[in-house]
């Protein structure tokens, strides 16, 4: 098993460092290079720099974030050599798809078209896999499909959760459906789904989780989805009563009474900005208005890929954590136990 950050694999162009977070308002977020976040045996999880908690950062609570309005089209292409913004968007929006031709030229691929093979979600930072070879892209897609059918995880995400799961590791299973509510697509859990429900788009989903570290009422969690569904990991962590930090869509479904958490009805709970409690705000050194802008702390850190040639060893592609993610780990004292 080889571990790499980025490489050119035959006809498969891989962008190994992805830090972009595309939010509903315009904004590209990218960060400078950061050390890798190892998942192999023997690696320790450690934020860069001192283990002391960070001091307030004034007007820049999330270091390394860039604003889209400050980038030209050419500058975005440069950023995309090492960071991907999003895999889809509205016509006319400045997105990954809209600049793929220029990115292809910038990478020296000539007339070869780039296509997205694997990518994280819309607000999720992490790896994006691009290919300029249709045969390579098809082979990788078949590999991912076969791995899911065999229930072998190929992707590992890192998340910071508001709350600590009741068990240190396990699996989360839920039937989910996508509903269009008040102009927004939302994922709704379905209890005891019927055959008709599945015919109408309900899907069984499964994720594995492992708590890496705990501190300040939060947890650093590794997540491995075994199925593919929009916002699957965010909803799964909400079902564990531990929403992902910066989840401004689904975290409102977790209520608290006298310190006890419980689930609110998903079909009647509207999305709203996540509101950390006062203790968590102090640990994060944030004001309430800054907390309302928290990026989603969900990062596609690792992809397992097959060897590109017969007899070649499988590889593990890693993306380092964004700098705001490292700062959060520092503030919360989340280190490997």
């Amino acid at each position: 098993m080889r571990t790499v950050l980025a490489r050119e694999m035959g006809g498969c162009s891989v962008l190994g460092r992805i830090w972009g977070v595309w939010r509903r308002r315009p904004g590209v977020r990218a960060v400078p290079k950061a050390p890798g976040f190892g998942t192999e045996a023997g690696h320790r999880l450690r934020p860069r720099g001192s283990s002391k908690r960070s001091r307030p950062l004034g007007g820049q609570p999330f270091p390394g974030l860039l604003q889209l309005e400050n980038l030209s089209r050419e500058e975005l292409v440069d950023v995309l050599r090492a960071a991907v913004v999003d895999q889809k968007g509205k016509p006319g929006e400045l997105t990954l798809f809209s600049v793929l031709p220029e990115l292809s030229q910038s990478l020296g691929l000539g007339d070869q078209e780039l296509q997205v093979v694997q990518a994280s979600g819309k607000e999720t930072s992490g790896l994006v896999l691009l290919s300029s070879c249709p045969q390579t892209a098809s082979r990788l897609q078949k590999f991912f499909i076969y791995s899911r059918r065999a229930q072998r995880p190929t992707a590992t995400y890192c998340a910071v959760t508001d709350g600590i799961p009741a068990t240190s590791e396990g699996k989360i299973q839920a039937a989910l459906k996508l509903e269009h509510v008040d102009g927004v697509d939302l994922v709704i859990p379905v209890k005891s789904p019927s055959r008709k429900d599945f015919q109408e788009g309900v899907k069984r989903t499964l994720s594995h989780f492992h708590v890496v570290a705990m501190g300040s009422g939060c947890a650093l969690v590794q997540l491995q989805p075994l199925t593919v569904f929009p916002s699957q990991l965010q909803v799964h962590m909400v079902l564990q009563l531990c929403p992902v930090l910066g989840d401004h869509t689904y975290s409102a479904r977790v209520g608290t009474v006298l310190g006890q958490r419980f689930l609110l009805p998903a079909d009647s709970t509207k999305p709203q900005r996540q509101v950390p409690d006062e203790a968590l705000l102090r640990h994060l050194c944030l004001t309430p208005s800054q907390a309302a802008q928290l990026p989603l702390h969900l990062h596609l850190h690792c992809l397992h890929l097959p060897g590109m040639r017969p007899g070649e060893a499988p590889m593990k592609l890693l993306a380092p954590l964004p700098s705001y993610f490292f700062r959060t780990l520092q503030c919360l004292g989340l280190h490997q136990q």
Side-chain angles (χ1 to χ4, degrees):
M1 175 69 72
R2 292 174 293 151
T3 302
V4 294
L5 284 179
R7 59 168 293 171
E8 183 79 16
M9 303 183 297
C12 180
S13 297
V14 179
L15 301 187
R17 298 188 185 90
I18 309 299
W19 309 291
V21 180
W22 189 273
R23 302 180 69 85
R24 290 190 176 88
R25 66 178 188 282
V28 175
R29 290 167 161 80
V31 301
K33 295 181 180 179
F37 183 91
T39 59
E40 293 183 301
H43 282 228
R44 296 187 62 83
L45 310 183
R46 190 177 301 276
R48 177 174 57 184
S50 170
S51 61
K52 295 181 179 179
R53 290 180 179 169
S54 301
R55 296 178 180 178
L57 297 182
Q60 192 183 15
F62 314 119
L65 303 188
L66 300 180
Q67 296 300 316
L68 182 59
E69 56 268 25
N70 296 330
L71 292 178
S72 68
R73 194 175 184 89
E74 293 75 19
E75 288 170 336
L76 178 60
V77 172
D78 290 338
V79 170
L80 285 172
R81 288 175 179 161
V84 171
V85 179
D86 185 23
Q87 59 174 336
K88 56 189 175 184
K90 297 178 182 178
E93 280 187 334
L94 190 56
T95 65
L96 171 60
F97 273 137
S98 74
V99 296
L100 279 181
E102 290 118 308
L103 180 59
S104 180
Q105 292 293 325
S106 178
L107 293 172
L109 298 177
D111 295 330
Q112 293 176 296
E113 293 184 0
L114 283 170
Q115 58 181 303
V116 177
V117 180
Q118 186 84 332
S120 55
K122 189 173 183 179
E123 294 190 354
T124 306
S125 62
L127 288 162
V128 164
L129 195 61
L130 302 177
S131 176
S132 59
C133 171
Q135 291 78 15
T136 300
S138 176
R139 179 168 178 257
L140 288 171
Q141 292 285 13
K142 289 177 180 177
F143 166 75
F144 292 130
I145 292 171
Y146 178 80
S147 298
R148 285 197 297 270
R149 288 174 178 172
Q151 294 204 339
R152 287 201 299 264
T154 57
T156 299
Y157 289 75
C158 300
V160 176
T161 61
D162 180 3
I164 300 172
T167 59
S168 61
E169 60 183 349
K171 60 183 180 181
I172 307 167
Q173 300 182 77
L176 302 178
K177 66 177 179 179
L178 195 61
E179 284 193 356
H180 196 68
V181 181
D182 295 333
V184 180
D185 289 330
L186 295 176
V187 177
I188 308 292
V190 179
K191 292 183 179 180
S192 304
S194 64
R195 179 178 298 181
K196 182 181 178 182
D197 290 328
F198 290 115
Q199 292 173 345
E200 294 177 350
V202 174
K203 183 176 179 179
R204 290 190 176 96
T205 61
L206 171 65
S207 300
H208 290 168
F209 72 92
H210 170 68
V211 177
V212 176
M214 299 177 290
S216 306
C218 296
L220 173 61
V221 182
Q222 287 185 349
L223 295 163
Q224 294 180 316
L226 274 299
T227 52
V228 177
F229 201 85
S231 303
Q232 173 178 318
L233 296 178
Q234 291 167 249
V235 175
H236 278 188
M237 293 316 297
V238 164
L239 294 175
Q240 297 294 298
L241 303 178
C242 299
V244 177
L245 197 64
D247 181 356
H248 302 295
T249 302
Y250 299 103
S251 62
R253 296 178 182 177
V254 178
T256 305
V257 173
L258 300 177
Q260 297 298 313
R261 297 190 174 195
F262 62 95
L263 284 176
L264 293 166
D267 54 0
S268 61
T269 304
K270 295 184 178 181
Q272 64 182 35
R273 289 289 177 182
Q274 190 178 42
V275 182
D277 61 29
E278 292 184 4
L280 182 52
L281 285 176
R282 287 196 300 271
H283 286 300
L284 294 173
C285 304
L286 298 177
T287 65
S289 61
Q290 289 172 333
Q293 305 301 318
L294 263 173
L296 183 69
H297 282 57
L298 182 62
H299 178 79
L300 177 49
H301 163 61
C302 174
L303 281 175
H304 290 267
L305 302 178
M308 291 295 102
R309 299 174 181 84
E312 192 174 59
M315 67 179 63
K316 183 184 290 186
L317 191 66
L318 301 179
L321 293 174
S323 58
Y324 64 81
F325 205 122
F326 270 108
R327 178 183 181 271
T328 296
L329 296 182
Q330 278 190 305
C331 290
L332 299 176
L334 291 174
H335 312 293
Q336 189 178 27
Q337 303 297 312

